Amino acid sequence: MPENIGAEVPAFADKDVARSFGESDVTVSSGAIGVSNESLSLGTSGGTTFTNESNISGRTKAGVRINPNYRITALTLTRFDSSNGDFEDGYEVQRLSDGTVVDSGSITVSPAETFDIPGLDLSPGTEYAVYLLDSGGVYTRKDNDAATSLPEFDVSGGFDQYGTDPAVYAFSDVTATVSPNSGSAYIEWPTPNDVFGWDVATFTSSPDGETVDVYVEEDRSGGWTEIAGPIDRGGLIKAADPSNNVRFRVELSRSDESNDPTLDSIARRWKL
């Protein structure tokens, strides 16, 4: 919500502030940066759901094909709810370019059960098959239009012992946790009323030995246009037209994955 700037500029300026990035008037959009402990940091998660359309027998392994858009470090999967009994022979994650099984586990998965696969290192731009194993099992599948695109990863279809398949087997829900070394996010608010002129932008960050850069963009008739950046705290917002909305783009990057650069708050101020 707009806040009065304080006694030093009485009644002549208002501002929008994001302190937790969960405020009702703040929109954060990104495929690589998420909100953690009320800060923006590298890493987020996203997933998709498939509907149960048919059952098929004669499969010993079947699942889903995914293409990471960022490095995937963990998967959370839910098996379709059905009356087909437990799958008792575990799971595998296979890199399809060379057939290498990069991860596997001996687990039993019941219908509608959710399980996690932690400790992964799935590279962007590489297709993987994630599947359940069961000798003689009956697999539930999503038959048509299974391919879908998400910010974190794409689903290209399914997989079974015969190879690739347009149908997705076994899983009703697939969620990936990504941990990239660089990414960007946009922070937006609605256009304020009665703007005489844009004033300044400020932010707080914790670089942790890495890079946190903030840019200002203006919503012009041709779309969003970068007008400043990387900016310093208290930098002027030089919009071409005070009636145009402005937003921020934050760029986070790191060379050491153990470091966690974050944007901790950000604000824009305008003159009344």
Side-chain angles (χ1 to χ4, degrees):
M1 297 293 291
E3 300 178 7
N4 191 273
I5 206 72
E8 68 275 15
V9 192
F12 295 122
D14 274 329
K15 65 179 178 180
D16 285 317
V17 185
R19 292 192 177 91
S20 68
F21 300 96
E23 291 88 352
S24 60
D25 57 344
V26 177
T27 300
V28 178
S29 55
S30 173
I33 292 176
V35 179
S36 177
N37 298 318
E38 298 189 338
S39 294
L40 295 186
S41 63
L42 288 164
T44 186
S45 62
T48 189
T49 298
F50 302 103
T51 56
N52 173 353
E53 292 184 337
S54 69
N55 294 315
I56 189 166
S57 59
R59 301 294 191 272
T60 58
K61 59 184 177 182
V64 63
R65 284 178 289 132
I66 62 172
N67 289 277
N69 294 320
Y70 304 96
R71 186 172 70 95
I72 291 178
T73 57
L75 289 169
T76 299
L77 303 122
T78 302
R79 187 182 155 192
F80 277 118
D81 190 5
S82 70
S83 58
N84 295 332
D86 294 347
F87 287 170
E88 301 178 343
D89 298 335
Y91 73 86
E92 290 181 344
V93 181
Q94 181 185 136
R95 186 171 58 231
L96 291 179
S97 61
D98 58 8
T100 299
V101 174
V102 299
D103 194 77
S104 62
S106 298
I107 61 172
T108 297
V109 183
S110 301
E113 182 178 350
T114 298
F115 67 98
D116 296 320
I117 306 178
L120 294 172
D121 188 9
L122 306 186
S123 301
T126 302
E127 187 176 44
Y128 298 86
V130 185
Y131 48 85
L132 293 174
L133 301 157
D134 192 73
S135 56
V138 177
Y139 286 83
T140 304
R141 66 181 184 177
K142 160 69 175 175
D143 294 334
N144 301 308
D145 302 321
T148 188
S149 295
L150 301 168
E152 297 80 12
F153 65 98
D154 298 332
V155 173
S156 48
F159 179 84
D160 61 17
Q161 73 264 33
Y162 303 110
T164 60
D165 193 307
V168 167
Y169 295 84
F171 303 119
S172 63
D173 295 87
V174 179
T175 298
T177 299
V178 299
S179 183
N181 287 329
S182 63
S184 60
Y186 298 94
I187 303 103
E188 301 179 47
W189 293 267
T191 305
N193 296 322
D194 300 323
V195 176
F196 175 76
W198 288 100
D199 192 9
V200 296
T202 193
F203 60 92
T204 59
S205 64
S206 303
D208 197 20
E210 303 289 358
T211 302
V212 179
D213 286 332
V214 176
Y215 300 80
V216 183
E217 297 185 351
E218 180 182 357
D219 187 10
R220 297 177 178 173
S221 57
W224 288 100
T225 301
E226 180 183 313
I227 58 173
I231 64 170
D232 295 322
R233 296 176 64 186
L236 294 175
I237 301 175
K238 297 180 180 180
D241 186 334
S243 65
N244 292 341
N245 202 9
V246 299
R247 70 179 183 183
F248 298 111
R249 187 180 82 251
V250 58
E251 302 277 355
L252 304 181
S253 62
R254 60 187 172 191
S255 56
D256 186 338
E257 291 182 3
S258 66
N259 294 336
D260 185 23
T262 61
L263 180 73
D264 303 319
S265 67
I266 196 163
R268 63 180 191 177
R269 189 170 72 178
W270 63 89
K271 302 173 184 176
L272 298 177

